[in-house]
Amino acid sequence: MKRILLCTDGSIFSQSSYQYAAWFSTKLEAIIDVLYVTDTRDKTAAKTKNLSGSIGIDASEALLNQLVELEREKAKLNHQQAKLILENANQVLSSYGVKAVKLIHETGFLVDCLHEFEAETDLIILGKRGETAEFASGHLGANLERIVRASHKPCLITSRQYQPIERLLLAYDGSASCQKILEFLRDSQVFNGLELHIITVAKSTEDQTARARIDQAKQQAISAGFQPVCRLIDGNPEVAIAKYKQENNIDLLMIGAYGHSRIRHLVIGSTTTQILRTSHIPVLIFR
């Protein structure tokens, strides 16, 4: 891993994402691309409006000129806002020891811009919620699910508060997504020396298929240099994972975007979505 794409909107959740990005970057000596996208969805289409039929030609031309001038001023303010947000991100990252930072400002939609950078990116980082976090505390950010669904790279969804990463939890269900997590643990050095927990949630602890899955995950983790704490737990996945996180002071959760039977092209897995909504720690998602 040599390149991290850090998506920011300057919100409260972005502040902790800077610290997590710095943590990963210093561990891996990775470059951080900081991306801010000026959203154009509310841009007034002043140039295309024709109001002469309702208010007269002269009045229409005067109003159109005012709208065009308003758009110019708005563009200047958007540019200044982007500059301030990116400069703040750079200052925070530098203060945490990041030496290589590239600041990027785009105009459009974040999801549409993603493909331009994803090919050269190893990890995408973004906050769980954005500018409306204070008003939509029970919801995910507007772009988050679309990005997770669109990206083929691991996505770190950061929580509001930063805390050092010492204990990891892999919620393992045997899916292809979870297999990618084990491969990541094997190939990357970022989590070396940290405490790794692996749990599988099943309808019963006597489920032999589930037991075989977690035994397989344990062996792969050991081969990757870890001494994992492994548990087979019965119950509802969302509840069991949340309870285990809290009881064991987990700092980072790793989970697959999909289980075995999700409609992959429509939504990310329902368990994953619910965990993201309620998690107070960062979640590293693999597709």
Side-chain angles (χ1 to χ4, degrees):
M1 183 184 295
K2 293 298 180 183
R3 202 165 205 106
I4 295 169
L5 179 63
L6 172 58
C7 304
T8 182
D9 61 1
S11 65
I12 294 173
F13 276 80
S14 291
Q15 298 302 312
S16 67
S17 72
Y18 302 160
Q19 292 177 269
Y20 282 111
W23 187 91
F24 276 85
S25 175
T26 53
K27 287 273 186 179
L28 300 165
E29 298 182 351
I31 297 169
I32 298 180
D33 294 328
V34 185
L35 174 63
Y36 177 82
V37 180
T38 297
D39 196 326
T40 58
R41 278 175 290 191
D42 62 345
K43 186 175 181 180
T44 304
K47 294 181 181 179
T48 64
K49 289 188 177 181
N50 186 345
L51 305 174
S52 59
S54 57
I55 64 175
I57 295 177
D58 293 340
S60 174
E61 184 177 355
L63 178 59
L64 181 60
N65 290 335
Q66 290 178 15
L67 289 172
V68 170
E69 184 60 32
L70 180 62
E71 286 302 321
R72 287 200 190 100
E73 290 301 316
K74 188 174 180 181
K76 291 178 183 178
L77 290 173
N78 285 339
H79 180 78
Q80 184 65 19
Q81 180 184 39
K83 182 179 179 181
L84 292 172
I85 289 173
L86 290 171
E87 285 178 350
N88 173 252
N90 188 36
Q91 289 172 3
V92 174
L93 292 169
S94 297
S95 71
Y96 285 101
V98 179
K99 301 186 182 302
V101 179
K102 181 180 179 181
L103 306 179
I104 304 168
H105 178 211
E106 296 286 339
T107 300
F109 310 110
L110 177 58
V111 176
D112 295 336
C113 294
L114 197 65
H115 72 278
E116 299 177 25
F117 308 99
E118 188 184 25
E120 298 181 356
T121 296
D122 299 292
L123 174 66
I124 298 171
I125 299 179
L126 67 159
K128 182 167 71 170
R129 288 190 279 274
E131 295 171 312
T132 60
E134 298 296 338
F135 307 100
S137 59
H139 299 276
L140 299 175
N143 289 305
L144 191 149
E145 185 168 329
R146 293 180 65 196
I147 288 172
V148 172
R149 191 168 65 241
S151 175
H152 295 282
K153 300 298 175 67
C155 293
L156 178 68
I157 313 304
T158 60
S159 51
R160 181 165 182 164
Q161 298 295 330
Y162 172 81
Q163 59 188 49
I165 299 173
E166 298 177 355
R167 286 170 294 278
L168 316 169
L169 173 60
L170 166 55
Y172 186 77
D173 63 2
S175 65
S177 298
C178 283
Q179 192 59 39
K180 286 185 178 181
I181 300 176
L182 290 170
E183 293 170 3
F184 178 84
L185 292 173
R186 179 195 66 201
D187 298 336
S188 175
Q189 306 298 310
V190 66
F191 296 136
N192 283 6
L194 300 185
E195 185 178 311
L196 174 64
H197 296 242
I198 304 175
I199 63 170
T200 291
V201 183
K203 293 181 179 179
S204 168
T205 54
E206 303 302 317
D207 187 327
Q208 294 305 308
T209 299
R211 188 167 295 281
R213 283 177 183 164
I214 198 166
D215 287 343
Q216 179 190 45
K218 180 179 180 179
Q219 292 306 313
Q220 289 182 261
I222 291 173
S223 299
F226 293 91
Q227 294 297 321
V229 177
C230 298
R231 290 275 308 276
L232 177 59
I233 303 172
D234 61 352
N236 176 280
E238 293 96 328
V239 175
I241 292 170
K243 182 179 179 182
Y244 191 93
K245 283 190 307 177
Q246 184 174 6
E247 291 178 347
N248 293 274
N249 297 316
I250 299 299
D251 304 309
L252 174 70
L253 171 65
M254 296 177 288
I255 193 168
Y258 309 101
H260 289 287
S261 59
R262 302 301 181 197
I263 305 174
R264 298 169 186 236
H265 64 287
L266 292 179
V267 293
I268 59 177
S270 60
T271 297
T272 303
T273 302
Q274 182 59 25
I275 288 171
L276 281 173
R277 285 197 185 105
T278 58
S279 180
H280 296 292
I281 63 172
V283 182
L284 183 56
I285 301 178
F286 288 74
R287 280 192 61 199

